[in-house]
Amino acid sequence: MRIRTVLTTALLLLGAAASPAVADASPSASPSDDSAAPTSAGTSFRNATEIEQGQQATANASTGDYLYWSFPADAGQRPTVKATVKLPSSARSGTQTWQLDVYDGLRRRQACQYGMQTRTAAQDATSVDLACTLRTVRAWSEPWANDPLPGTYYIRLTVVSLGTGDLGKPVNAEVRVDSKEIGGAAAVDGSLSQPLVPGIALTTQESSDEDKPTLSSLKPDDGWTSGWWSDRWVWTGIGAVLAALAGIGGYALTRGSGRPSRVPPGV
């Protein structure tokens, strides 16, 4: 009976501790209201249009324009950027090659873990789809490394190869960013003092004046994480509890009834 009680307690504790860890591994927050999504794009890093994760932003532009958007990404997230370019219905002189690039807050180009970030549209194609899944954003990294870090990320969409006669023709672009929460599997020991958000230093300085504007105002719904908490702590706690319960169960099995198996004669 005692062993059964120990095992039941262990299973209950395991389920209670694992619940938040399983929740952390689910996809990111619910998408934002698309009715408030931006309908234009910037033309450089400095005036990139801000979008939230889960929004589908649109923009009307001309073939050959550089289109820029920015979005926030926090530690533990693996962002996926998708873009669709709707090409003009009028006849084109040849194929077109479009490219999707993603840069971090330091304007370092980030490699795509997978996805087609460069694709060529046939002469009669009506649209072209692009995608880029980044590596998991880390809370901290070595200064010499090119790892994704928490902060603002920039999307650049443009055509890189086309016929001269197609330059300037109207196109419509759609961009969306979603993230998957990776959790403790990507956790590291350390965190940035501030996320890589352009202009964030202006708001952290103590001043009696009005709040100073930043170059990027978006941030995750739950705020920027400090980087020290992850579901690794949950699984570490589970291991400690199971080890303690195993010790108790082993002791209960081996201690016996407390009396010697054979009693000497005359006792």
Side-chain angles (χ1 to χ4, degrees), residues 5 11 31 76 88 135 210 244 257:
T5 302
L11 291 175
R135 294 170 294 165
E210 297 180 355
S257 60

Side-chain angles (χ1 to χ4, degrees), residues 158-181:
T158 190
V159 63
V160 294
S161 176
L162 79 163
T164 306
D166 297 331
L167 191 65
K169 288 187 176 181
V171 294
N172 177 268
E174 298 177 354
V175 172
R176 181 184 177 94
V177 182
D178 293 288
S179 286
K180 180 179 180 180
E181 295 287 346

Side-chain angles (χ1 to χ4, degrees), residues 48 57 80 96 101 133 138 187 229:
T80 296
Q96 295 184 6
D101 295 307
T133 298
R138 296 162 57 91
W229 168 257

Side-chain angles (χ1 to χ4, degrees), residues 8 17 22 33-34 67 86 107 116 118 139 141 183 210 219 228:
T8 302
V22 173
D33 184 9
D34 283 340
L67 307 179
K86 297 180 180 179
R107 300 185 186 179
M116 292 290 293
T118 302
S141 178
E210 297 180 355
K219 61 182 180 180
W228 69 271

Side-chain angles (χ1 to χ4, degrees), residues 11 24 32-33 64 67 76 80 98 108 120 124 127 148 160-161 171 197 203 205 224 230 232 240 244 262 267:
L11 291 175
D24 288 343
S32 304
D33 184 9
L67 307 179
T80 296
W98 288 79
R108 303 177 302 180
T120 300
D124 58 347
S127 65
V160 294
S161 176
V171 294
V197 177
T203 61
Q205 296 176 354
W224 299 106
S230 72
R232 280 197 311 176
R262 299 182 62 184
V267 177

